Amino acid sequence: MLRWLLRVLGILLGLLLLLLLIVWMLLRGSLAQLDGELALPGLSAPVGIERDANGMLTVDAANEADMARALGYVHAQERFFEMDLMRRSAAGELSELFGADALPLDRKMRLHRLRARTVENLDTSLGSKHAALQAYRDGVNAGLAALPVRPWPYLLLRQQPRPWELEDSVLTGLAMYADLQDPGNTRELALARIREVVPAALYALLAHDGSEWDAPLFGQPRGNATLPAADALNLRALGADAKPDESALSAPSAMQKAPLPHVAQDRGLAAPPMAAEYFPGSNNFAVAGALTADGRAIIADDMHLGLRAPNIWFRARLRFTEPTAPEGKVDVTGFTLPGLPAVIVGSNTRVAWAFTNSYIDTADYAWLPAGTSLSSHTETIAVAGKPSETLVVRESSWGPVTSENADGSLLALRWAGQLQGAVKLEFADMAKAADLDAALAVADRSGIPAQNLLVGDRKGRIAWRLIGARPDRGGNCNVGGIANAPDAPTMEGSNAPCQPWTLRTDHAPSLVDPADHRLWTANGRVLDGEALAIAGDGGYDFGARAKQIRDGLFARERFTERDLLAIQLDDRALLMERWWKLMRQTLEHSDDPALKRLEAASREWQGHASIDSVSYRMARGFRGITLDTLQTALLASAKQTLGERYIAPNLPQLEGVVWPLLSERPAHLLPAQFESWDALLVDSAQQLERDLAAQGPDLSQRTWGERNTAAICHPVSRALPGLFKRWLCMPREPLPGDNNVPRVQGPSFGASERMVVSPGHEADGIVHMPGGQSGHPLSPFWAAGHDDWVQGKPTPFLPGTAKHKLTLRPR
C-alpha cells in the first residue's frame, strides 16, 4: 500500500511539475525579442534597436515613419496589454475583457461615444502625422503577431488580443483626458446644486478658492476665508436637524485619491480620513540660464499619476533623419506613452519640456427645456461571459443628455474630450523644435489635455504656457454652474443664452523669460483676473506644494541638476507642523488615558514625511479627521435638503476655511454636535487614538512608513491569490513623502516619472521611474530601475551601455 501511495504521489508530483513547465513555457512565449535580426515589412531601411540595463530603448531609423514602425513593434511586444487597457478605458470597452464588473466604468465612458467621435474626426486628429501613425499601427500589429504566445494577461483572462487600429492611438490620448479631467464634470454640478439650497455665506465658505499657501505665477495669494458673522450664518441653528455623516464627503476619482492598499488592509489598517486623501498630480519647475554656472536652462518634472506595474511611461531615445529639423535630424530622449509614437516629455538637445495638469474648467452642464430636439445613438457594450448590453445615448447640440428633471427639462454635458480637435498629434513635432519660440509654436497647434507647459532651450531661456484644448466660450459665458438654467447668470451686459462652444489651442496665457528667472507649477492656481475667469476653476489643488517648491527656488541663486532633484525629493512637512502643534495643545493637559498614550508617542517632531516618523503620521491623521468633521458639518444641511440629488463636492481649498475656524473659534460656526471647539479637537484626537490602537497597542510603532507602504501592482493581480499577487507587484516598501509636500508619494499614487534635464546637456540629466519598462514579470526589465525611484538615487537621463541589440530589416 505504501509503495502504491508513493507511486501515486510521484505521478501527481510529476504532473504538477509538467503543468508548471507548460505554464512557464507559455509565459516565456510572450517575452519580447531583445537580440538578433528580423524582418519588419514596410521599413525603408534597417532600424537599430538597443536596450540598456534598465531596458531603456534607443531607436536609430532613417526617417520618422521607420522610427514609428519600430517603436510600435517594441511597444506591442513589451506593453500591448496595457495599450489595450488605455484604448478600452477611453472607449468604454473594458467589460469585453473583464466581464460585468467593469460595466459601471464602461457606461460612464460610453455616454461620450469617444470611439465613434474619434473615427468621425480622425483626419483632424492625425493631421500631418497620418503616415507616422499608419506606420506605428502596422508596427504594433507586427510586434504582436511576432510573439509566439499572446501576451500573458490574455491567457489568464481567456481572451484574444484585438489588432491595433489608427483610431486607437487617438483613444490613448483620450484616456489621458479621462484620467486628468473629470468627464462627468461632477464638482461643478455638485457645487451648482449646493448653491441652490444653502445660505450665500455658507456657499462662499465652501467655494472659497485659495488660502495663505497659494503660490500663483500671476497675482497674489487669495488668503484664508473671511468668516461670516452670526447674522449671516449660524451653523449651529442651520445644522440642528441635519446630522453630519461621512457620506456627505466626496469620493474622489482615482486620479485624486490614493486608496488604502490591499497590503495595508490585510494588516488591519483603518480607512484613512477622506479629506486628507486627495492626491492631485504633478510638479514642474525651471530655472533660466541666469541662475546656472554656464548659462544652461534646467527643467524639472514630476508627473503624478496612479502607479501600477508596469509604469504608464516607456523611456526611449529616438533618432532619425528629418529634413525639417535643425541639421536635418532628430535626437529626442524622454518618456513615451505606449499607444503613441512620440516623446511626451523630454529633451531634443535644443529644447526640453515638461507638464503638469492645469485643472482649468473644461466642461459645462447646460439646462435644456422640455421638448428640446435630440438625436439618439445606440451603443452596444460587449461583456465577457454574458450577453451584450445596449445603451441608448441621447444627444443635444450641447452634448449627451445625462439626466431628465421631473418637469421634462434636461441636463446635457459638454466636455472638451468629446470635441473635434481634442487630440491632435502635431504635438509630436516638439521632437524637432529648434528653440523656445519654435516649441511654443508647436504648443499652439497641439491637441492634448489642458496642461501647464514649461519649456527651456539651449540659449538658457524658459517659458510657461497653458497648452492644449481649451473651451472657447466667448464673451463671459463661463458661469461656473449650469448654463442657461432659469436662475443662472447670463453674459455680462446681455441676456443672450450661452451657446455650445468649440475648442481652441492658440493665444494661450504665457509667461516668457520671467524677470526672476524661475518658473513653477504644481496643479494649484496659476492665473488671476480676467485670464482666470476665462480659463475657469476645474478644482485646482491646494497651494502648499507649489509654495514649497517656489520657496525652494528662491532660496538660492545658483542651481545644478542635483539642486532641482533635491527640490523634487523635498519631504519637509511645513504644512503639517502647525497641525502637530495644535494636536499637542489638545493632548498635553488631558487626563484621558487614551490621549495620554497619544501624547507620549507624539512628542518628537521630525519635521518630515519620513518613513520612520510617528509624529507626522499622527499630525496628518489628526488633520484629516478634523477636516472630515468640519466638512461634513458644512455640507450637512445641503445633503439633507437635496436628498438623492446631493453630490459630494471636492473641496481642495478647505484648509483655507478650516484654519480660520480653528484659530478664531466662533461659537456660531461650531458644529452643532459639539459643546466647544476644544471638544471638537478632543474628539479628533480620540478618533485618531482608536484608529492607531486598533493596529497595535504600542503607538510608538505606528510610523508613517507603515501607513505609506507601496502597493504598485499589475492590473490583473487583484484576481490572483496572495502568492501570485505578490509576484505581480513591486516590493512592498515604505515610502517617504505625501500629497502636500513636493515629494508626492502614496501607496499607489505618486511620481510616475521624475526628470531633470538641460537641453544640450542631457548627459547631466536625471530620471526616476517606478516599476520597469516591461509588462512581463519574467523580463529582466520588469522592475529594473525601480529601486532608484524608491531611494531617490539619480538614474542617468540618457541610455547607458547597450546590453541588447536588435536589428529590424525591410522585407
Side-chain angles (χ1 to χ4, degrees):
M1 179 63 70
L2 179 61
R3 285 196 300 271
W4 276 105
L5 287 175
L6 289 174
R7 288 172 185 171
V8 170
L9 182 61
I11 292 171
L12 291 175
L13 182 61
L15 290 174
L16 178 61
L17 291 174
L18 179 61
L19 177 61
L20 291 174
L21 179 61
I22 292 171
V23 170
W24 180 264
M25 295 302 294
L26 284 173
L27 289 175
R28 290 195 59 82
S30 58
L31 282 168
Q33 182 173 343
L34 305 181
D35 297 286
E37 293 189 5
L38 57 86
L40 180 59
L43 290 176
S44 67
V47 176
I49 294 177
E50 296 181 349
R51 290 174 171 89
D52 69 4
N54 285 328
M56 184 177 176
L57 191 72
T58 300
V59 177
D60 285 292
N63 52 57
E64 184 179 28
D66 283 358
M67 177 279 295
R69 192 178 302 272
L71 183 63
Y73 187 95
V74 174
H75 277 169
Q77 293 224 317
E78 298 282 19
R79 297 283 196 90
F80 186 83
F81 180 73
E82 291 72 32
M83 294 165 61
D84 193 11
L85 294 187
M86 291 283 282
R87 64 176 173 178
R88 287 178 181 273
S89 65
E93 298 168 350
L94 291 169
S95 300
E96 188 175 7
L97 276 183
F98 297 107
D101 287 347
L103 274 172
L105 294 174
D106 282 351
R107 292 183 190 119
K108 289 180 181 179
M109 291 310 297
R110 281 297 180 96
L111 180 73
H112 303 288
R113 301 180 54 248
L114 293 185
R115 182 173 288 280
R117 295 179 192 276
T118 297
V119 172
E120 181 179 347
N121 299 319
L122 191 57
D123 288 342
T124 299
S125 296
L126 301 187
S128 65
K129 298 299 175 183
H130 197 283
L133 264 294
Q134 283 184 320
Y136 181 79
R137 173 201 62 194
D138 295 343
V140 168
N141 289 328
L144 178 63
L147 293 173
V149 178
R150 64 187 184 270
W152 66 269
Y154 296 101
L155 297 175
L156 185 66
L157 296 169
R158 293 177 293 175
Q159 298 284 352
Q160 292 290 334
R162 192 173 68 197
W164 196 257
E165 303 291 347
L166 276 178
E167 61 266 25
D168 292 333
S169 288
V170 180
L171 286 168
T172 299
L174 289 171
M176 295 306 298
Y177 265 89
D179 198 21
L180 298 171
Q181 299 174 2
D182 177 8
N185 199 24
T186 307
R187 179 178 181 271
E188 196 164 61
L189 181 60
L191 289 175
R193 290 179 175 176
I194 290 170
R195 183 167 53 190
E196 296 173 2
V197 298
V198 301
L202 176 54
Y203 183 79
L205 288 180
L206 294 171
H208 184 67
D209 63 348
S211 73
E212 62 190 293
W213 295 84
D214 294 346
L217 292 179
F218 296 88
Q220 297 300 314
R222 287 284 189 268
N224 294 333
T226 300
L227 301 182
D231 59 352
L233 177 64
N234 187 336
L235 199 62
R236 295 183 74 79
L238 187 67
D241 298 324
K243 182 180 179 182
D245 64 86
E246 287 195 357
S247 64
L249 297 176
S250 61
S253 66
M255 74 170 181
Q256 294 170 316
K257 184 180 180 184
L260 199 65
H262 295 292
V263 60
Q265 294 174 9
D266 294 343
R267 294 201 308 272
L269 302 190
M274 291 286 290
E277 289 305 300
Y278 292 104
F279 275 71
S282 308
N283 310 323
N284 65 7
F285 45 99
V287 293
L291 300 181
T292 61
D294 57 4
R296 68 178 69 182
I298 310 176
I299 300 288
D301 187 46
D302 307 25
M303 293 192 289
H304 306 145
L305 295 168
L307 302 181
R308 69 182 191 199
N311 187 35
I312 187 173
W313 308 112
F314 189 89
R315 293 181 60 204
R317 183 178 191 177
L318 309 176
R319 299 188 291 203
F320 55 92
T321 301
E322 172 53 54
T324 62
E327 301 180 10
K329 61 182 181 180
V330 166
D331 182 358
V332 60
T333 304
F335 294 86
T336 69
L337 177 63
L340 291 167
V343 169
I344 306 302
V345 296
S347 180
N348 70 5
T349 76
R350 292 172 174 80
V351 170
W353 66 97
F355 292 132
T356 66
N357 199 21
S358 67
Y359 287 92
I360 68 168
D361 185 0
T362 58
D364 285 314
Y365 272 101
W367 177 87
L368 306 176
T372 298
S373 178
L374 302 173
S375 60
S376 293
H377 304 271
T378 300
E379 292 282 311
T380 301
I381 304 176
V383 183
K386 291 191 175 182
S388 297
E389 178 177 294
T390 298
L391 180 70
V392 177
V393 178
R394 297 185 296 166
E395 286 192 352
S396 69
S397 59
W398 265 90
V401 172
T402 62
S403 61
E404 183 172 344
N405 300 316
D407 62 358
S409 62
L410 308 169
L411 276 184
L413 176 60
R414 194 168 190 81
W415 171 47
Q418 301 165 348
L419 303 184
Q420 184 176 15
V423 174
K424 291 192 291 186
L425 298 176
E426 306 291 341
F427 180 76
D429 284 340
M430 288 292 282
K432 59 184 183 182
D435 55 25
L436 184 142
D437 293 328
L440 294 180
V442 173
D444 273 350
R445 61 178 189 269
S446 297
I448 64 172
Q451 299 286 293
N452 293 303
L453 169 71
L454 289 193
V455 180
D457 73 6
R458 204 167 185 167
K459 300 173 185 177
R461 300 178 65 201
I462 59 173
W464 164 84
R465 178 163 289 182
L466 182 61
I467 178 181
R470 315 183 322 274
D472 187 9
R473 293 181 173 92
N476 189 28
C477 205
N478 184 9
V479 297
I482 299 174
N484 300 334
D487 58 348
T490 58
M491 292 188 294
E492 186 176 349
S494 171
N495 291 321
C498 298
Q499 298 299 317
W501 37 261
T502 57
L503 297 177
R504 70 180 307 171
T505 60
D506 61 339
H507 298 290
S510 298
L511 180 54
V512 181
D513 297 323
D516 53 26
H517 314 298
R518 299 163 174 89
L519 289 169
W520 63 92
T521 78
N523 311 117
R525 178 173 64 84
V526 175
L527 297 167
D528 203 4
E530 183 180 359
L532 177 60
I534 293 172
D537 175 6
Y540 51 75
D541 188 27
F542 176 52
R545 275 188 298 127
K547 182 178 185 297
Q548 200 159 327
I549 291 168
R550 180 201 65 187
D551 293 349
L553 291 174
F554 280 94
R556 57 191 306 147
E557 294 298 322
R558 278 288 180 267
F559 292 90
T560 66
E561 284 83 351
R562 295 294 183 104
D563 296 324
L564 267 64
L565 176 63
I567 295 176
Q568 290 177 308
L569 299 178
D570 180 9
D571 62 6
R572 290 175 300 142
L574 303 185
L575 168 69
M576 215 58 67
E577 183 174 4
R578 69 184 189 182
W579 284 93
W580 173 74
K581 291 177 179 178
L582 181 62
M583 180 182 70
R584 295 291 304 165
Q585 292 169 8
T586 303
L587 300 175
E588 284 173 347
H589 304 295
S590 175
D591 295 326
D592 184 335
L595 298 194
K596 285 185 175 182
R597 291 192 294 272
L598 200 62
E599 187 276 330
S602 64
R603 290 173 184 170
E604 182 180 354
W605 177 245
Q606 292 90 350
H608 290 257
S610 54
I611 61 175
D612 60 347
S613 177
V614 174
S615 59
Y616 177 82
R617 180 177 179 183
M618 291 181 173
R620 186 186 190 276
F622 180 75
R623 173 181 181 264
I625 293 168
T626 305
L627 289 179
D628 278 3
T629 299
L630 289 170
Q631 183 173 337
T632 55
L634 291 169
L635 291 168
S637 63
K639 184 177 188 299
Q640 183 182 57
T641 304
L642 289 169
E644 293 183 355
R645 295 182 65 238
Y646 176 80
I647 302 172
N650 174 18
L651 302 176
Q653 306 300 329
L654 188 63
E655 177 89 14
V657 176
V658 166
W659 198 253
L661 287 172
L662 297 176
S663 300
E664 301 175 31
R665 304 194 177 192
H668 61 285
L669 298 179
L670 176 68
Q673 71 267 37
F674 297 104
E675 295 182 357
S676 68
W677 286 98
D678 285 339
L680 183 152
L681 294 174
V682 167
D683 182 74
S684 293
Q686 289 171 336
Q687 288 189 56
L688 174 65
E689 194 278 337
R690 287 195 297 271
D691 174 28
L692 295 176
Q695 298 160 38
D698 186 356
L699 297 189
S700 67
Q701 300 301 309
R702 305 282 75 79
T703 64
W704 177 235
E706 179 188 48
R707 167 66 177 82
N708 207 43
T709 300
I712 303 171
C713 298
H714 194 279
V716 304
S717 64
R718 296 179 186 178
L720 298 177
L723 176 64
F724 296 99
K725 182 184 298 184
R726 295 189 65 175
W727 184 54
L728 294 177
C729 296
M730 295 298 109
R732 295 174 175 176
E733 296 173 286
L735 300 174
D738 198 5
N739 55 354
N740 282 315
V741 300
R743 190 171 187 170
V744 173
Q745 287 185 158
S748 55
F749 192 100
S752 62
E753 56 81 40
R754 294 191 193 102
M755 175 183 78
V756 185
V757 65
S758 171
H761 303 275
E762 285 79 6
D764 298 326
I766 299 165
V767 295
H768 289 145
M769 193 173 86
Q773 290 275 87
S774 178
H776 202 301
L778 298 183
S779 169
F781 312 128
W782 165 250
H786 176 75
D787 187 61
D788 287 351
W789 176 85
V790 172
Q791 304 299 328
K793 297 186 296 185
T795 300
F797 179 80
L798 291 177
T801 302
K803 299 295 184 182
H804 300 274
K805 296 183 179 181
L806 176 68
T807 301
L808 305 178
R809 297 194 179 278
R811 178 181 293 175

